[in-house]
Amino acid sequence: MPDQSAQFFDEHHRRFFEWLQKALVSQIQGKRSKLNTVSTVVGVDVAYSNDISVAAAVSWDVDERRVVEVSRVRSMALFPYSAGFLFLREAPVMVAAVRGIVERFDVVLVDGHGIAHPREAGLAVFVGAALGMPSLGVAKSLLVGDLGVVDRGMQEITLDGSLVGYGVKPKDSRRYFASPGFGLDVEDVAYLLGVLGGRYPEALRQAHIEARRGLKEVG
DNA sequence: GCGACAG
DNA sequence: ATCTTGTCGC
């Protein structure tokens, strides 16, 4: 079997998609709206079964600590996974799933990096921009950047000398890396991490479960 | 040229 | 991401 990714990522395609990422980044410059009080967050994740993808968005009430709404979308996985270009594979279906959430919410938590990305154009940046909603990237492993010293279970992620996010290692839950997506800055990330209790976001844990459940319920 | 590489 | 159950431990 030949590498399917070659079909999508030869030199010409890769260069064009990189241009697209840079275009978005320059396009949203200055569109950093101030993050208001966060009472409801929406976590979004995608699960796969061959070329079928199911995205699940879970609305989570931070104070009451409960799921308030679930939205799921099934679709064809048209792009293969390629590090640095995850948005091609997951952004379309993630955006559709979040649009299925009816009740209001304050921020979208995306399973993937925000600006902790080679071109500061991670999946969370695309999803937030497309929705016109503040977004936070939450990844389980580092893609780029340098980690600073561990301080109270947290460490800064630096890229070209600038702070782009935080690595977090809660005592109970799994390690993760958070960076701004759209509509919020690094200072807001620190605030958000506090609101979310420092642990791996329950909204994302639920989204992961719901996405996998979606694969099974339909086939 | 050699490794690294979100999900 | 996905293939996969129960089991050891706090």
Side-chain angles (χ1 to χ4, degrees), chain A residues 27-184:
Chain A
Q27 162 68 31
I28 65 179
Q29 281 304 312
K31 283 208 166 188
R32 305 266 104 158
S33 61
K34 181 183 178 184
L35 186 64
N36 298 307
T37 301
V38 174
S39 57
T40 305
V41 300
V42 167
V44 58
D45 190 20
V46 186
Y48 300 88
S49 182
N50 296 313
D51 285 349
I52 294 298
S53 63
V54 172
V58 173
S59 187
W60 175 263
D61 187 305
V62 177
D63 298 322
E64 299 180 14
R65 291 182 36 188
R66 67 183 186 81
V67 172
V68 287
E69 199 176 343
V70 176
S71 165
R72 281 194 307 229
V73 169
R74 286 176 69 79
S75 187
M76 298 298 289
L78 301 179
F79 284 88
Y81 163 75
S82 183
F85 301 95
L86 183 59
F87 81 100
L88 292 171
R89 184 172 172 78
E90 305 197 335
V93 63
M94 275 190 169
V95 168
V98 176
R99 288 205 163 126
I101 295 295
V102 178
E103 303 296 318
R104 65 160 294 285
F105 53 90
D106 306 293
V107 59
V108 182
L109 308 183
V110 178
D111 191 320
H113 288 293
I115 64 175
H117 176 280
R119 291 164 293 283
E120 303 190 327
L123 175 62
V125 176
F126 277 81
V127 174
L131 292 166
M133 292 290 276
S135 63
L136 175 73
V138 177
K140 294 175 284 298
S141 64
L142 200 59
L143 175 60
V144 292
D146 305 302
L147 293 174
V149 295
V150 179
D151 177 37
R152 287 168 296 180
M154 299 215 341
Q155 49 192 149
E156 301 188 334
I157 302 176
T158 308
L159 200 55
D160 299 318
S162 61
L163 181 65
V164 295
Y166 298 95
V168 187
K169 173 44 197 161
K171 291 187 176 181
D172 58 337
S173 59
R174 75 171 308 165
R175 170 187 174 76
Y176 65 94
F177 303 91
S179 62
F182 174 78
L184 56 83

